[in-house]
Amino acid sequence: QMGTNHWIHSLCVVDSQRINYLYPEDIPYTDKQKLSLACSATPYTSYISGDSNYVFTIKKFHPTDEKSVYYCYTHSRKRSSQNSGGPIHVSIVLVSELSYTDLFRKIIDKISREYFENDEQILEAVYHISTSWEPPIAGKLVHLPFFDGSIHYRIPRTNGIISDIEALDQFEFEHFKISLLDCFKHVLPHLHILWELVLLSQPILVISPNPAQCSEVCLGLLSLISPLEYIGDVRPYFTYRDPDFSIFGTKDIVCIYPYINNK
């Protein structure tokens, strides 16, 4: 019997807008959540070659909190299809209630490398390992067993957007820390306006050629006001195929639920 998992809600494989594998299998996602997850985990762009690492969110649809979301940390790989002859996207998605962006993007990067060399059993193994991780407490340094090493991570006191990985043993990751200069180097003269818009929870639309850049900029916008939190509806990556796409064109929704997204 599995223990309580305070870190990972589920792990899944999405292949061409279809969830081909989900663990645990009994996660009660609604059809709308599954559609939103499958659409956002399949990048709708021709600008991606190779692998892409990004973040998106799906609604929890909790009856008492319409703004609560799951964070979906995604590693997508573009490869050729033997059936259609054209390219397809296969994505590994880690779904969590936690917005520890730097931590989980590194974890999903490692998981994906193992998955593409092995199979779905690695996702089940990671989930079971994470059930042994101690519950996250703000400000606490935790030691998380992971594959043949251990992750030493200080739980952020805020929303986790700009916190640091303190140490990683026995394996290396790419550097995913958000760089505000890289995100906003082309709009530096207007950075104070963006800061004001985010602070006041005004709607912002981010248009980008790929999901990695889009989610990076969206998270960068949130970090402008850290440790304060943006109180609106945040969509680090979003496409017109998402079931929520139609509601963002209505005036009332935009006024009530400011958003950061990509179309």
Side-chain angles (χ1 to χ4, degrees):
Q1 183 177 0
M2 290 186 294
T4 301
N5 198 320
H6 301 280
W7 297 80
I8 298 177
H9 190 258
S10 68
L11 288 154
C12 64
V13 179
V14 177
D15 185 342
S16 300
Q17 298 186 58
R18 296 187 304 272
I19 299 177
N20 285 350
Y21 177 85
L22 175 66
Y23 194 85
E25 297 177 355
D26 58 351
I27 294 292
Y29 289 135
T30 65
D31 290 341
K32 188 175 181 180
Q33 285 175 313
K34 290 178 181 178
L35 178 59
S36 181
L37 195 157
C39 288
S40 294
T42 306
Y44 187 72
T45 176
S46 59
Y47 291 91
I48 296 178
S49 60
D51 292 10
S52 180
N53 194 301
Y54 62 98
V55 185
F56 65 90
T57 59
I58 60 173
K59 290 284 190 178
K60 279 188 180 179
F61 298 114
H62 193 282
T64 60
D65 186 4
E66 295 183 354
K67 293 184 180 181
S68 59
V69 298
Y70 291 116
Y71 295 87
C72 302
Y73 304 93
T74 307
H75 188 106
S76 180
R77 174 166 293 184
K78 186 177 183 179
R79 55 189 187 182
S80 60
S81 170
Q82 295 180 349
N83 296 327
S84 65
I88 61 172
H89 288 279
V90 178
S91 299
I92 315 303
V93 185
L94 185 158
V95 183
S96 176
E97 297 182 359
L98 304 172
S99 61
Y100 303 159
T101 308
D102 56 347
L103 171 67
F104 283 117
R105 288 199 297 180
K106 291 174 171 65
I107 287 177
I108 194 62
D109 181 64
K110 175 63 175 176
I111 292 174
S112 299
R113 295 183 194 180
E114 296 292 333
Y115 167 80
F116 288 117
E117 293 178 2
N118 299 286
D119 54 29
E120 289 92 349
Q121 291 183 352
I122 196 67
L123 305 183
E124 182 178 345
V126 168
Y127 186 89
H128 282 282
I129 289 172
S130 63
T131 60
S132 68
W133 295 354
E134 57 185 296
I137 300 175
K140 183 177 181 180
L141 179 63
V142 295
H143 307 278
L144 312 176
F146 190 58
F147 289 95
D148 295 330
S150 179
I151 300 174
H152 307 284
Y153 181 69
R154 187 170 299 281
I155 307 299
R157 298 183 183 277
T158 58
N159 58 14
I161 296 299
I162 56 173
S163 59
D164 290 321
I165 293 285
E166 296 203 344
L168 293 164
D169 295 343
Q170 298 193 24
F171 43 78
E172 296 293 331
F173 287 110
E174 295 179 13
H175 186 57
F176 287 120
K177 185 174 172 60
I178 296 168
S179 169
L180 293 183
L181 181 59
D182 289 340
C183 286
F184 304 116
K185 59 185 176 183
H186 299 299
V187 293
L188 286 179
H190 309 290
L191 199 57
H192 66 288
I193 298 177
L194 292 174
W195 172 82
E196 183 177 336
L197 291 172
V198 178
L199 187 65
L200 298 177
S201 294
Q202 294 299 303
I204 300 175
L205 176 67
V206 176
I207 300 176
S208 168
N210 61 72
Q213 186 181 81
C214 184
S215 65
E216 195 83 353
V217 170
C218 289
L219 296 175
L221 286 168
L222 298 182
S223 73
L224 291 177
I225 62 170
S226 183
L228 300 177
E229 293 190 31
Y230 182 79
I231 62 173
D233 183 3
V234 179
R235 306 292 181 103
Y237 177 63
F238 188 70
T239 79
Y240 75 88
R241 296 173 300 178
D242 191 283
D244 282 345
F245 176 77
S246 60
I247 71 172
F248 284 105
T250 63
K251 182 178 179 181
D252 290 340
I253 292 296
V254 171
C255 291
I256 298 174
Y257 301 109
Y259 63 100
I260 298 175
N261 69 359
N262 142 284
K263 233 179 352 182

